[in-house]
Amino acid sequence: MESSYRPVNKISNDRLRNNNLSSLTFSLTYPQLPTTLETVMTTLETVMVSRLAAQRAGVAMACTAYFALSFVSITYDECVPLWAMSSRQAGGLGYPQIKLGTLMTASGVLLTLYTIFLYPPISVRLGKLWGFKVGQASAAPFMLIIPCLSLLQPDSPLLFPSLVLIYTFGKMGCGLGFASLALLLNQCVPSSKRATLNGLSMTIGSISKAIGPFTGAIVFAWSIRSDTVGGDSSSSDKVIFRNDFPFN
């Protein structure tokens, strides 16, 4: 009876020979495979480089948008009370401080209701990018319209409710833009770098929020003094910040 035992070296040589024959057959069957693999690797490398460049561009655009939105929002919050306290002759509403407190309280209540009941379905329906676009597009008209309220009569019953609604709608648009932009920032980078990007965006936003009130107050005081918002700048009762404004 013939033994079935074969030496280990002979088995290894047979397997090596079979592998070489298989590789040779594969090479003869697909002669363009090395070139194809090289092309695929080059394409993947190009895609990765392009994605990295797009990621960096997206981060830069998102941070720039966050800076601009923070600047506009904080300047709006700074200038509206100053304008509302200005005299009628200077183009303001002549409101006392207690009236401004009522305005802020009513606006806060409406914003709270908006955040609880309206913002969630709106953000789900619009998504991140369109939420940011719609938020800015909806806030801008109200910010531009609000100074026109000084054209209404002081005793008009529509004046104060219109002021509350217009001011609140502007804040709603900014809030929708801020929330959507925060989500877009998280989408620009992988999860391992989100904390760094959020810290960077908060730093940029803080810088703009430091510049905004300073710039807004100076520009508003200049606009009243130079008769930009209406009235005669030579009359001292039409410029309420002539004596107590710190930069005068």
Side-chain angles (χ1 to χ4, degrees):
M1 182 175 180
E2 185 179 356
S3 175
S4 60
Y5 171 75
R6 298 175 64 186
V8 176
N9 292 337
K10 183 176 180 58
I11 295 175
S12 300
N13 291 334
D14 291 342
R15 289 179 177 175
L16 182 60
R17 189 182 304 109
N18 292 334
N19 290 336
N20 291 335
L21 289 174
S22 300
S23 300
L24 179 61
T25 303
F26 193 82
S27 299
L28 293 175
T29 306
Y30 304 99
Q32 301 298 328
L33 183 62
T35 305
T36 304
L37 290 176
E38 183 179 357
T39 303
V40 171
M41 295 300 296
T42 303
T43 304
L44 289 176
E45 183 179 357
T46 303
V47 170
M48 292 178 64
V49 171
S50 301
R51 183 175 297 179
L52 181 60
Q55 185 183 91
R56 291 178 178 176
V59 170
M61 292 178 61
C63 289
T64 303
Y66 196 89
F67 179 90
L69 181 57
S70 299
F71 180 85
V72 171
S73 177
I74 196 67
T75 305
Y76 179 66
D77 291 338
E78 172 73 15
C79 290
V80 167
L82 296 178
W83 163 78
M85 288 191 300
S86 302
S87 64
R88 279 276 175 174
Q89 293 80 3
L93 298 179
Y95 277 172
Q97 294 181 357
I98 189 171
K99 198 77 170 182
L100 292 180
T102 306
L103 168 65
M104 298 302 170
T105 302
S107 176
V109 172
L110 293 177
L111 287 173
T112 301
L113 296 176
Y114 160 77
T115 304
I116 296 175
F117 298 106
L118 294 181
Y119 171 74
I122 291 176
S123 62
V124 170
R125 185 171 183 82
L126 294 178
K128 296 181 285 291
L129 182 58
W130 275 103
F132 174 73
K133 293 179 179 180
V134 172
Q136 302 318 294
S138 61
F142 294 108
M143 292 182 177
L144 295 175
I145 289 174
I146 195 169
C148 299
L149 292 177
S150 61
L151 300 176
L152 295 176
Q153 295 298 323
D155 56 350
S156 174
L158 298 177
L159 180 56
F160 188 73
S162 299
L163 176 62
V164 172
L165 292 178
I166 292 175
Y167 178 76
T168 304
F169 285 149
K171 296 294 293 180
M172 287 179 181
C174 288
L176 178 60
F178 268 120
S180 301
L181 186 56
L183 296 175
L184 286 173
L185 282 169
N186 289 331
Q187 187 177 329
C188 291
V189 294
S191 58
S192 59
K193 297 182 179 180
R194 286 177 182 173
T196 302
L197 180 59
N198 285 329
L200 177 62
S201 64
M202 291 297 106
T203 302
I204 293 174
S206 298
I207 293 174
S208 67
K209 290 176 181 178
I211 298 174
F214 177 82
T215 306
I218 293 178
V219 172
F220 181 77
W222 167 83
S223 69
I224 293 181
R225 280 193 159 195
S226 61
D227 195 22
T228 301
V229 296
D232 182 8
S233 60
S234 62
S235 178
S236 61
D237 62 343
K238 297 175 184 178
V239 185
I240 63 172
F241 301 106
R242 180 173 297 278
N243 297 323
D244 56 354
F245 191 74
F247 301 101
N248 289 348

